[in-house]
Amino acid sequence: MVEPGAVVWFTGVPASGKSTVATLVEEKLRAMGCLVENLDADEVRQNLSPNLGFTPEARDENTKRLAWMGKILSRNGVHVLIAAVAPMRYYRDRAREWCPRFVEVFTTAPFEVCKERDPKGLYARGERGEINDIAGWHQPYEEPENPEVVLPTHELDLETCANMVIAKLRELGYLSCDGGCGCGCDDGYTAEEQAKVEERLKDLGYM
Amino acid sequence: MAKAQRVLVVGWDSAPPKELFEDWRKDMPNLDRLMNEGVHGLLRSTDPPITVPSWCSMMSSRNPGQLGFYGFRNRRVGEYTGKWIANAQAVKVDRVWDILSRYGKRSCVFNVPQTYPVKAINGVMISSFLTPSTESDYTYPKSLKADVERVSGGYIIDVDEFRTEDKAWLLDQIYQMTEKRFKVAQFLMQEKGPWDFFMMVYMGPDRLQHGFWKYIDKTHSKYEPGNPFENAARDYYVLLDQQLGELIAMAGPDTRIFVVSDHGAKRMDGSFNVNDWLIQEGLLTLKEPLTGVRRFSEEDVDWSRTLAWAWGGYYARIFMNVQGREPEGIVPADQYEAVRDDLVRRLEATTDHTGRVMRTRALKPQDIFTGPCNDAPDLFVYFDDLYWRAGQDVGHDSLHSFDTEIGPDDSVHDYDGILVMSPTGNAGSRVEGAQVMDIAPTILDTLGVPVPKEMEGKIIATD
């Protein structure tokens, strides 16, 4: 029986840091020896659904496909990272329903910060009036109500963000961390360490 | 001030209210100022009132029945041997700094119990006394360890072997540890900021009180007037007060200060040898006859003739040998409650060395906790209102001892610790009815962060 993987959905408005954090989480999970797939929404859309636009129906279909891929990959032991705005809550709730080990990560930053970052030039295009479909600006973005992890990416450094995601995966029992992940969790708490603590407690009469 | 930009929590493990709020207040100008500018009062500890789980309840606002641990060492129900230690891995709920991290607020968490193994937070962390040694990675991030070792001149996890007759040595060790801690705290404050939440716990008070209570408390049976350590505890708190003043100054304006303790302390009147008592009552049988005092071990028990056994400490944990639950259980499951009630009755009738019925309480976990009580003992026992500790060794000549088997120890834990919170409205007034689980929601509220509905405590009103 294969130990299932987790599906980690990074949601947030454009330039809030979804892909950046997901990429570092991917790197850390690989370093831990995990099977990982990082389904960047833009790449998946380009390769799997080039005909889909950005209408509500198309977004619905795209997130459905992402969730389905997450489901089938994760049941085969792969940790699946999905960096996709998925602006409506029901898109993510559907994925949560389909994927037993679902972790919603909400990346958030003030509008001005996202506009300043603008790695894909979306906000600049919006400013010039070339596009008018940016979630959280022209289009609605429904923030998660109970995400497993919230990352204010303008406040936290990237390393901390990635470590917090990994720590949550570990806490939920979705990872057996060997302490080499750099998340600071040190699950490599060894029998020798435990023995040292017990010995000290014994000396103090606590055992 | 309902909200503040920052929160500084200074924890004095085991700090007792009467001594600090009345006896030594005049010698502690910084605590006195906080009390005048804020509120203060008793802070009811957890059941049981001990370091683990109390600090964790304070920072998570969950009772031990929810947390699933009741002391440093814990037992898996259904197993006779094999104890597990409740370190950070046992904490499955968010503590204040986990929540603050999610809101982008930065924390410095320093020497708070149950933080080893350390985990990632938005900020920095140095773990506490359940850290195996300074060879371990006891900081987050790992790179911080080198700074801690450099700044402290060699960090100390705890005062080892604090149960000693060499009191001058012990006092020196406690002062060394405290000075090193303070140097690191200064470094964190000045070099690792900015922070929104800073929490530091001093273990020195607990170690000092266990080692020196008989010297300071005139009501203690071992008290000797004019002894050289008469003022040891007060003088130590004067040092802590000086350091408190410096921490407050470094924290800067618009910081709300909390000074808290996980439980109080009071004199130890004796040690009630609870396993010897169980043997005497015919409830516990060992495989071999006893020849002298020895450490109780489950491996020595004849389970076919044992209804219950105990772990000792400042309170006792009673475990029952139940059919279908323990491997060789003999208490029929359908008689579990009747047997347990009988145990309560017998325990609450125990007497001290003079024949006086002690004010002993035997508590069922389901009556004091709201959680699933995973792995809880069948009874928690506080002998004589906690004035007597529970000795678990077997083979004593008497049920009552006045020297503990674990080395010199002259104080026990009390139910109430301290709470000082400043600045607040109602300056100078007392807070009534506060308990440790109220601290986490009050901190979050102070910083303008929503209080999770799972938290069991309430926000302490200050207006």
Side-chain angles (χ1 to χ4, degrees), chain B residues 283 307-308 318 320 322 330-347 364 378-379:
Chain B
L283 302 170
L307 270 78
I318 306 285
M320 290 164 58
V322 182
I330 65 166
V331 176
D334 62 355
Q335 289 176 37
Y336 173 79
E337 277 306 332
V339 173
R340 187 159 69 155
D341 287 341
D342 182 55
L343 265 168
V344 170
R345 186 184 55 74
R346 292 203 216 188
L347 284 160
K364 298 176 182 175
D378 295 291
L379 288 172

Side-chain angles (χ1 to χ4, degrees), chain B residues 150-285:
Chain B
R150 175 179 53 78
V151 168
S152 63
Y155 194 64
I156 296 176
I157 301 292
D158 196 359
V159 176
D160 288 339
E161 298 170 22
F162 64 83
R163 299 185 198 283
T164 172
E165 290 294 0
D166 189 346
K167 300 299 180 182
W169 174 86
L170 174 59
L171 203 54
D172 179 63
Q173 291 294 301
I174 292 169
Y175 271 79
Q176 276 194 42
M177 177 175 73
T178 305
E179 292 293 355
K180 284 176 185 289
R181 291 271 198 281
F182 185 63
K183 282 181 186 170
V184 174
Q186 282 178 306
F187 169 77
L188 294 177
M189 280 255 183
Q190 291 166 348
E191 307 290 334
K192 292 293 167 187
W195 46 266
D196 303 286
F197 174 71
F198 190 109
M199 180 170 181
M200 151 177 209
V201 174
Y202 286 86
M203 289 307 294
D206 181 82
R207 302 328 187 203
L208 185 129
Q209 288 162 192
H210 284 302
F212 290 87
W213 201 269
K214 69 178 178 184
Y215 300 111
I216 67 166
D217 183 350
K218 294 180 174 59
T219 69
H220 200 291
S221 61
K222 296 179 181 175
Y223 173 75
E224 292 173 17
N227 75 74
F229 300 110
E230 188 104 35
N231 295 318
R234 187 205 62 191
D235 292 349
Y236 180 68
Y237 275 104
V238 169
L239 171 70
L240 294 188
D241 185 73
Q242 287 167 3
Q243 295 187 353
L244 173 65
E246 292 187 50
L247 291 170
I248 293 169
M250 283 187 284
D254 210 12
T255 303
R256 176 177 272 178
I257 317 294
F258 291 71
V259 182
V260 288
S261 61
D262 52 338
H263 51 77
K266 58 187 179 187
R267 69 171 193 274
M268 184 189 294
D269 284 348
S271 185
F272 185 79
N273 298 315
V274 60
N275 277 321
D276 277 334
W277 176 81
L278 287 166
I279 291 170
Q280 182 180 290
E281 294 287 304
L283 302 170
L284 166 62
T285 305

